[in-house]
Amino acid sequence: MTVEKFSYDNKIVRDFAIATVIFGVVGMIVGLLAALQLFGPIYNLGTQYTTFGRIRPLHTNAVIFAFVGNAMFMGVYYSLQRVCKARMFSDLLSRIHFWGWQFIIVCAAVSLPLGITAGKEYAELEWPIDIMIALIWVIFAINMFGTIFKRREKHIYVAIWFYIATVVTVAVLHIVNSIELPVSLLKSYPIYAGVQDALVQWWYGHNAVAFFLTTPFLGLMYYFLPKMAGRPVYSYKLSIVHFWSLIFIYIWAGPHHLLYSSLPDWAQSLGVVFSIMLIAPSWGGMINGLLTLRGAWDKVRDDVTLKFMVVAVTSYGMATFEGPMLSLKNVNAIAHFTDWIVAHVHIGALGWNGFMIFGILYWLIPRIYKTTLFSKKMAAFHFWIGTLGIVFYAASMYWAGITQSLMWKQFTPLGILQYPNFLETVVQIIPMYMIRAFGGALYLTGVIVMVVNLIKTVKQGSLEANEPAEAPAIEKGYADRSSKHRFLESRPGKFALLATVVVIIGGAVELIPTFMIKSNIPTIPSVKPYTPLELQGRDLYVREGCYTCHSQMIRPFRSETERYGEYSKAGEFVYDHPFQWGSKRIGPDLMRIGKKYPNLWHYNHMENPRNVSPGSIMPNYDWLLKQNLDNSTLESKINVMRTLGVPYAPGYEKQALQDLTKQAEELATDLQKNGAPAESNKEIIALIAYLQRMGTDIKGDTTTVK
Amino acid sequence: MDVMFILIGASITVAMTFLFAFIWAVKSGQYEDRYTPSVRILFEENIQSETENKKL
């Protein structure tokens, strides 16, 4: 048995650490800006690039993919090398992965404020960036599997299993959810429409939480927590059991994001059942993490990294209990569309992801820089102010969510809505929005203290870019030693065969129904495709991120049909590429906004919402009144829509612009008649046309809108 | 709801991948020892272990 000498690549770990810190600060500053905007419209800063609808996707993308993403890579590159007793498979791939990922982030940071968005939550990036993400992800996968194959340790430690699950599943999710047809370099339409798009999106959205924010961090927990505590994980057996059960259950729970929506009921119930089952494997991980510290709680008192880990794991336990509870239909009926969900995700993001990242940074940076942490006191300050920040954030958002939801649902004894004006319910929770921003500011303060602390730490040490290590080479053919491993002997052939069968079954399951089975979405004859002007208006709706504050999904509750009108039907969305159901009602639902107000109301409202609704927190959209509508891609849009199954007549693309101009002039004339200085070639005209169309196709005379 | 079949297909493909990974892991003896791996990761033979052992 020869001992081989090699070295660990610490430089790549350091690079990802720097990236995670920088983008963490940026993402949180943007988050704080978004929080300020929700009680002070002035913080929209008067430019289209900084309105809430564009800032909120920037915030979510920055913290998920830049902050948490880079931290995941940092932790994976550090721990994978060490548990595999091998350097990363290829230094070149590591560098390409690093710079590729940062380039994607920069593209996102530029394109989202410009309003270049696919309009699907957490998957807003447009198709060229989607392709880059897929390529870089594959590079990461090759680098990771290459390292696993050349490992010097026969056993694959549980953390690696979590990383494998992450790499495999995220690739599948990203590809399936990002299938879109380009209209131009910067615009595309998803191939799915309406209900189907919603289902794909939340299958993706839910599993992104599972396999981007959860499984890699469980892997990190299983490596870093025992290292920090200096003792093995409580039960290795439990870690194996909960890993396999977690990944098998997680992929089926997505529909719980669409309860009471137009999704078929059986799919909703399926999502709920799997969500409830998820408590067990999730808590398996939490319990295993916390019990790792059994008999070592005295260390938590002194060691700030362990403090961060304890809060992180506890937050995970809270969020994974709350998640299944929220997926119960009766709880969801209250919580959905409210700030309760915002509290829920921030327990996960600030507590679980954030605190674990901070703990790992405080532990790892001194190690690769061969020094000690500059100041334990500053780290302790960060811990406490961060914890306080989470408490302020979560408590205010729970309060706001429940308050607003109850107000939405409150009827007077006479059976009419007690708060028929949506704005009343917003004004009520403005103080909570202020407290939320305060909590976020505390959290950010802690992070800035951490940055100083880490910079000082780095300055007093020096990076050990290549950390020498040695391990015996893995014995060749170890797998053939016992009869137990006969399966493995014949593995290449069998495995190839099985893989082919799986792919064929999978492909068949996917394709045959597409040809054989007629879509079982009930079609509604009166639902017609959008006119070219409305289509353009809809794209503006997507561009401005209206879905970040307004839903287009009236649930079948009396409190909602009274307030908004007839509940939403699946058949109404068949031409919606992408769907715009939204997930949060910072403002009212817009499903049946069409024809509810005159054109002039919309014109004035978009210029400055406070013109018509004093106290509104909606940003001004005055540039829509000045900017010319860009019709250069209209032909292409009609063509793409037709390819996707929208029944525009062949050759209609040639006539579309003419129809658009005609409709725009009619609308502008109406506005001018009522005294607005409207011009027919401005963006506002298209947006109003879309808003006036929304939800009207099935309205008829039976509308319950008041 | 054709898309349901795409999602179920994709999900089953992922699940099958994991299932085969699981079968492989069990059959190849990954889980025969359910204790030492948890301890092993704690002991890294650091070549410059003097500096390494410093606590925060």
Side-chain angles (χ1 to χ4, degrees):
Chain A
M1 205 161 66
T2 51
V3 172
E4 294 179 331
K5 286 192 183 301
F6 56 97
S7 64
Y8 297 132
D9 185 356
N10 279 347
K11 190 167 170 294
I12 191 70
V13 177
R14 192 271 315 258
D15 292 348
F16 277 118
I18 292 174
T20 195
V21 170
I22 292 175
F23 291 124
V25 172
V26 173
M28 289 174 214
I29 289 175
V30 176
L32 183 59
L33 176 65
L36 294 174
Q37 290 171 343
L38 286 182
F39 63 82
I42 191 169
Y43 296 105
N44 288 289
L45 308 177
T47 76
Q48 55 183 311
Y49 312 108
T50 48
T51 41
F52 182 82
R54 300 190 191 184
I55 283 297
R56 193 259 190 179
L58 185 68
H59 165 61
T60 52
N61 277 277
V63 291
I64 295 171
F65 300 108
F67 173 55
V68 177
N70 275 314
M72 174 211 305
F73 301 137
M74 165 187 79
V76 169
Y77 275 92
Y78 184 87
S79 58
L80 184 68
Q81 298 187 76
R82 281 158 180 84
V83 286
C84 286
K85 295 248 179 292
R87 193 183 173 85
M88 286 309 294
F89 172 66
S90 157
D91 282 6
L92 178 67
L93 290 185
S94 301
R95 303 294 162 231
I96 296 175
H97 176 198
F98 176 76
W99 289 109
W101 195 256
Q102 310 318 317
F103 180 67
I104 288 165
I105 292 167
V106 172
C107 289
V110 173
S111 65
L112 292 173
L114 287 174
I116 298 162
T117 169
K120 293 172 76 165
E121 275 180 88
Y122 319 114
E124 280 97 350
L125 302 175
E126 262 300 350
W127 68 274
I129 309 177
D130 281 342
I131 292 174
M132 280 193 283
I133 293 172
L135 290 177
I136 295 298
W137 198 262
V138 168
I139 285 178
F140 172 45
I142 294 171
N143 209 10
M144 190 173 119
F145 281 111
T147 312
I148 293 171
F149 285 129
K150 69 168 201 175
R151 68 188 189 277
R152 292 185 179 82
E153 177 59 61
K154 178 192 156 193
H155 180 80
I156 298 175
Y157 184 63
V158 64
I160 303 178
W161 282 111
F162 278 102
Y163 304 156
I164 292 174
T166 303
V167 165
V168 170
T169 317
V170 170
V172 175
L173 298 173
H174 173 69
I175 291 169
V176 173
N177 190 42
S178 302
I179 302 176
E180 49 220 357
L181 274 190
V183 168
S184 66
L185 183 64
L186 303 173
K187 176 78 194 163
S188 66
Y189 291 128
I191 62 160
Y192 324 105
V195 183
Q196 314 215 36
D197 196 33
L199 185 59
V200 176
Q201 158 62 26
W202 285 111
W203 174 79
Y204 161 88
H206 173 75
N207 286 313
V209 174
F211 289 91
F212 203 90
L213 303 174
T214 305
T215 54
F217 279 74
L218 282 167
L220 298 181
M221 178 190 87
Y222 276 119
Y223 180 78
F224 287 100
L225 186 56
K227 293 294 264 189
M228 291 171 184
R231 54 187 52 228
V233 62
Y234 169 64
S235 164
Y236 195 68
K237 206 193 276 184
L238 176 59
S239 76
I240 297 166
V241 172
H242 103 89
F243 165 74
W244 290 104
S245 46
L246 186 81
I247 60 164
F248 279 118
I249 296 175
Y250 236 131
I251 16 183
W252 307 99
H256 69 209
H257 289 261
L258 298 169
L259 299 182
Y260 289 115
S261 74
S262 306
L263 186 74
D265 221 29
W266 66 268
Q268 298 185 23
S269 302
L270 184 82
V272 173
V273 169
F274 278 95
S275 305
I276 297 299
M277 283 160 66
L278 263 176
I279 295 181
S282 301
W283 273 44
M286 176 203 60
I287 288 165
N288 217 358
L290 288 181
L291 287 186
T292 297
L293 296 167
R294 75 206 175 283
W297 286 94
D298 56 305
K299 286 189 182 179
V300 180
R301 196 183 307 129
D302 306 322
D303 188 344
V304 71
T305 60
L306 281 178
K307 283 196 180 81
F308 276 108
M309 296 304 270
V310 167
V311 170
V313 176
T314 310
S315 298
Y316 176 66
M318 295 197 293
T320 53
F321 177 74
E322 190 185 17
M325 293 303 113
L326 286 171
S327 78
L328 292 171
K329 282 183 114 177
N330 43 2
V331 182
N332 196 271
I334 298 168
H336 195 51
F337 291 133
T338 75
D339 288 304
W340 186 339
I341 307 303
V342 180
H344 170 61
V345 299
H346 280 85
I347 293 281
L350 301 174
W352 166 242
N353 295 118
F355 265 37
M356 185 173 296
I357 292 168
F358 305 144
I360 292 172
L361 282 169
Y362 282 128
W363 185 85
L364 185 151
I365 296 291
R367 268 174 181 70
I368 61 177
Y369 275 89
K370 296 286 155 203
T371 180
T372 50
L373 189 64
F374 171 72
S375 165
K376 277 196 212 175
K377 268 203 173 133
M378 284 166 78
F381 172 78
H382 176 196
F383 170 78
W384 287 109
I385 200 167
T387 308
L388 209 57
I390 297 175
V391 171
F392 272 106
Y393 194 109
S396 60
M397 287 293 93
Y398 284 123
W399 193 307
I402 293 168
T403 303
Q404 197 177 24
S405 184
L406 294 180
M407 287 176 83
W408 289 341
K409 290 176 185 293
Q410 188 61 48
F411 283 94
T412 65
L414 292 174
I416 55 169
L417 286 171
Q418 173 138 25
Y419 306 99
N421 183 0
F422 190 92
L423 193 53
E424 247 182 303
T425 71
V426 178
V427 172
Q428 182 71 30
I429 58 171
I430 294 273
M432 295 302 144
Y433 281 166
M434 292 174 178
I435 295 172
R436 181 255 297 272
F438 175 68
L442 290 185
Y443 193 87
L444 178 62
T445 309
V447 172
I448 289 167
V449 171
M450 176 190 76
V451 174
V452 175
N453 201 358
L454 290 180
I455 291 174
K456 297 262 191 193
T457 306
V458 164
K459 280 203 174 139
Q460 71 188 12
S462 66
L463 177 69
E464 190 174 35
N466 297 295
E467 187 179 319
E470 53 185 34
I474 202 163
E475 291 169 63
K476 286 268 181 287
Y478 66 85
D480 305 334
R481 276 174 303 174
S482 77
S483 59
K484 260 194 167 182
H485 296 127
R486 221 176 286 152
F487 177 84
L488 199 63
E489 288 170 27
S490 59
R491 185 165 54 98
K494 264 191 192 170
F495 227 72
L497 189 71
L498 286 171
T500 319
V501 171
V502 171
V503 171
I504 290 171
I505 293 173
V509 167
E510 285 170 32
L511 293 174
I512 292 172
T514 323
F515 301 125
M516 305 289 288
I517 301 175
K518 226 175 140 40
S519 174
N520 66 7
I521 296 174
T523 46
I524 303 171
S526 61
V527 174
K528 296 279 186 284
Y530 295 107
T531 68
L533 187 66
E534 289 157 4
L535 185 65
Q536 290 283 51
R538 189 167 202 279
D539 287 343
L540 293 175
Y541 186 98
V542 170
R543 183 186 80 184
E544 299 304 340
C546 303
Y547 66 90
T548 57
C549 294
H550 296 282
S551 57
Q552 291 187 16
M553 173 49 61
I554 302 169
R555 297 177 294 175
F557 299 135
R558 186 162 162 261
S559 60
E560 299 209 354
T561 52
E562 278 293 308
R563 185 182 296 279
Y564 303 118
E566 182 67 17
Y567 68 89
S568 306
K569 320 276 190 295
E572 293 185 79
F573 303 102
V574 290
Y575 304 126
D576 284 9
H577 299 268
F579 83 110
Q580 291 286 286
W581 292 2
S583 62
K584 179 76 177 75
R585 284 181 186 150
I586 295 170
D589 187 280
L590 298 182
M591 178 80 202
R592 308 263 176 237
I593 192 76
K595 304 277 164 34
K596 202 171 174 180
Y597 300 101
N599 294 334
L600 183 67
W601 186 91
H602 285 293
Y603 188 89
N604 291 333
H605 183 249
M606 296 309 290
E607 185 179 23
N608 181 350
R610 281 147 296 282
N611 285 345
V612 289
S613 311
S616 167
I617 56 171
M618 180 167 145
N620 299 352
Y621 286 87
D622 46 334
W623 62 87
L624 293 174
L625 279 58
K626 296 172 205 132
Q627 278 174 193
N628 292 337
L629 184 64
D630 175 16
N631 290 320
S632 59
T633 53
L634 182 62
E635 240 185 84
S636 171
K637 282 179 179 177
I638 298 283
N639 284 331
V640 168
M641 281 296 186
R642 189 189 300 111
T643 313
L644 295 174
V646 180
Y648 290 117
Y652 183 68
E653 68 275 9
K654 299 287 174 210
Q655 201 203 321
L657 187 61
Q658 201 186 324
D659 282 9
L660 181 147
T661 317
K662 186 163 167 275
Q663 193 186 355
E665 271 163 11
E666 283 169 12
L667 216 157
T669 314
D670 174 70
L671 284 167
Q672 287 155 5
K673 246 190 275 170
N674 290 294
E679 291 171 62
S680 65
N681 62 342
K682 302 299 178 198
E683 289 181 333
I684 185 73
I685 303 293
L687 187 66
I688 293 176
Y690 172 60
L691 291 174
Q692 295 293 32
R693 171 70 186 274
M694 278 167 70
T696 54
D697 282 14
I698 66 157
K699 252 182 174 176
D701 304 324
T702 56
T703 177
T704 51
V705 179
K706 300 190 297 174
Chain B
M1 292 304 293
D2 300 345
V3 76
M4 200 75 88
F5 298 97
I6 297 183
L7 294 185
I8 292 171
S11 300
I12 286 182
T13 311
V14 171
M16 293 295 260
T17 312
F18 288 142
L19 182 64
F20 286 118
F22 176 69
I23 293 170
W24 173 81
V26 173
K27 297 252 183 179
S28 68
Q30 283 288 332
Y31 299 139
E32 273 167 22
D33 181 351
R34 286 179 296 267
Y35 178 66
T36 14
S38 66
V39 182
R40 195 190 298 118
I41 65 146
L42 298 175
F43 301 105
E44 269 165 27
E45 293 135 56
N46 279 301
I47 295 178
Q48 296 107 336
S49 51
E50 318 82 57
T51 49
E52 185 69 10
N53 285 337
K54 277 187 203 157
K55 276 266 160 199
L56 278 178

